[in-house]
Amino acid sequence: MASPGAAGSIRLDKLLWYLRFARSRSIAQAMIAAGHIRLEGRRITRASAPVRAGETLVLPVGERVEVIRLVALPRRRGPAPEAHACYIRLDPGATAAAH
């Protein structure tokens, strides 16, 4: 089986699990099926939707909504610092306040 980096994309459910936004793939699949995830502004309801580096995701995390941009695709579900290195958080409020 090819690694995610070799294919250029990764399944959305696997990505959420690898990046530690979901404790399991089944929880990630439930979040996606419920329509809580947006990829590049489109609501995604298929867990198998491909995600590529450079794309923007909007997803619920606890009581808040996170906006992240993928800078790299994770190769595995590793430690948290490894997962955090794969994305940057985009905070619309901080951007507006800076201008």
Side-chain angles (χ1 to χ4, degrees):
M1 184 172 167
S3 68
S9 66
I10 186 172
R11 287 175 55 109
L12 180 56
D13 62 336
K14 207 175 213 184
L15 177 79
L16 295 176
W17 181 57
Y18 279 6
L19 294 183
R20 299 178 167 271
F21 286 110
R23 295 183 130 203
S24 68
R25 277 184 71 185
S26 60
I27 292 172
Q29 290 166 351
M31 287 170 57
I32 296 163
H36 295 308
I37 310 293
R38 290 188 180 270
L39 175 64
E40 293 296 318
R42 295 180 325 268
R43 184 178 301 231
I44 303 296
T45 56
R46 281 186 9 251
S48 63
V51 182
R52 293 169 185 77
E55 292 186 320
T56 303
L57 284 166
V58 178
L59 57 140
V61 178
E63 294 295 317
R64 64 188 192 285
V65 174
E66 289 280 340
V67 181
I68 64 167
R69 174 160 298 130
L70 291 174
V71 293
L73 295 179
R75 295 192 167 290
R76 64 187 183 121
R77 181 177 164 88
E82 188 178 304
H84 292 288
C86 293
Y87 65 90
I88 55 173
R89 283 192 168 101
L90 304 176
D91 185 7
T95 307
H99 294 325

